[in-house]
Amino acid sequence: MQKARLAVSALFLTNGALFASMVPHYPEIKADLALGNGVYGLAVAAFPAGALAFGSAAAFLIRRFGSARIAVAGTVTTAVMVFLVSISPSLPSFALALFFAGSSDVITDVAQNAQGLQVQQRYHRSIINSFHAVWSAGVVIGGVSASISIALHIGRAMHLGLISALLIILALVASRFCIFDDQPSRDTRKQSRPESIRTLTSIPFHVYASLLGMAFIGVVACAVEDSGSSWASLYLSTSLNAPAAVAPLGYISLAAAQLVGRATGDRMVDAFGMRQVTRFGGALIALGLGLALLFPSIPGTIAGFAAAGFGVSTLGPNSMAACDNLPYLRQGSGLTVVSWIMRAGFLLFPPLVGYISDAVNLRTGLLVFPILGVLVVLAANVMPGTIRHDESFATNSDSSL
């Protein structure tokens, strides 16, 4: 089972590294295609648009072909699309490559999390956060590789072609050790899932309510992560007049604390349960960013984003794990719904914060995030106190979703 865990970790690593290796090349692509800011903004929105358009297909594909095959196939497809982004000669081809990169990325995301939960089930303890820690490490590796290639004046096609090829090979090697039996035994199904639910209207209301609550927590996770990448450096440099070398520390502190939180998150879940860890995470987001905005200073803001990074670190992985344990839902359905809604967070909150910032100021706009932290504390009741890792998850073949 250790080999399966390493294989899934490799898939998470490739997923994080692919996107992060592409993003630093955006300014160069924008200049080469002579795109204005508005057109460029619409073009890069094709990535999340593709995720929203095709995200709902993940559950069907996982049930049809298995999470391991879909995770590996999705990784290969995403890598090819990332390379096509690098050689796009025009705006339509650039946007189209991003659209299909986003489409394959979201399906890969769901499939690799489903595969990770399969491995977790066999470990009988929480390990899902460690996979997301590896994903964060992949982001760092991809971003650093892009920075080095730009500094050395290596063409983006050469860089992304080489990275894509290496990550495809890694995914194919990892596939040899994945779990290809997504279905638990009939006896386990009977013990853990009702067999009589066949229609949407037959599913109890509390299951829908729990699913939406878990999706909300996942959306907050995406929004707070985006607060660091989209707003931290801007707030420090413009509102607090931080030097250019200091301004990036807001995002760096969030990313570093998130990596630490994910590396230690599984032990926290096993010790205190998902509900308490979720409450703690929401409170840390609210207090960290709330105090930083109420008493603005450069060190306090950097510390506030670090607190938010640690607080948000387990929200996404745990909401995925919890939704995949909901009764009455077919394999992959809860995970697909939550993952799809989470992607909406990347489209919803940046313009919301931007609108408030234009109407008042950026400091006021950022108050959205501590408020979201408070709402996570209130919504934490939908999370299970503990998850029985020896149970099957989302496996009832007669359910309706």
Side-chain angles (χ1 to χ4, degrees), residues 186-206:
R186 173 177 290 273
D187 291 339
T188 305
R189 274 204 307 270
K190 286 182 177 179
Q191 291 172 6
S192 61
R193 292 289 179 260
E195 294 281 358
S196 60
I197 302 302
R198 297 175 182 275
T199 64
L200 288 172
T201 56
S202 300
I203 297 177
F205 173 77
H206 73 85

Side-chain angles (χ1 to χ4, degrees), residues 52 218-220 222-223 226 340-351:
L52 289 173
V219 166
V220 172
C222 294
D226 184 71
W340 186 84
I341 295 176
M342 284 173 66
R343 298 285 174 148
F346 287 113
L347 289 177
L348 173 63
F349 284 97

Side-chain angles (χ1 to χ4, degrees), residues 37 42 72 88 90 102 113-114 133 138-140 155 169 175 182 224 240 254 262 278 309 314-315 360 383 393:
N37 288 331
L42 289 174
V72 174
S88 297
S90 64
N113 274 283
V139 170
V140 174
I169 292 171
S175 68
D182 283 289
V224 175
L240 300 182
L254 185 148
R262 286 177 168 173
T278 300
T314 60
L315 296 189
V360 188
M383 301 291 283
F393 45 86

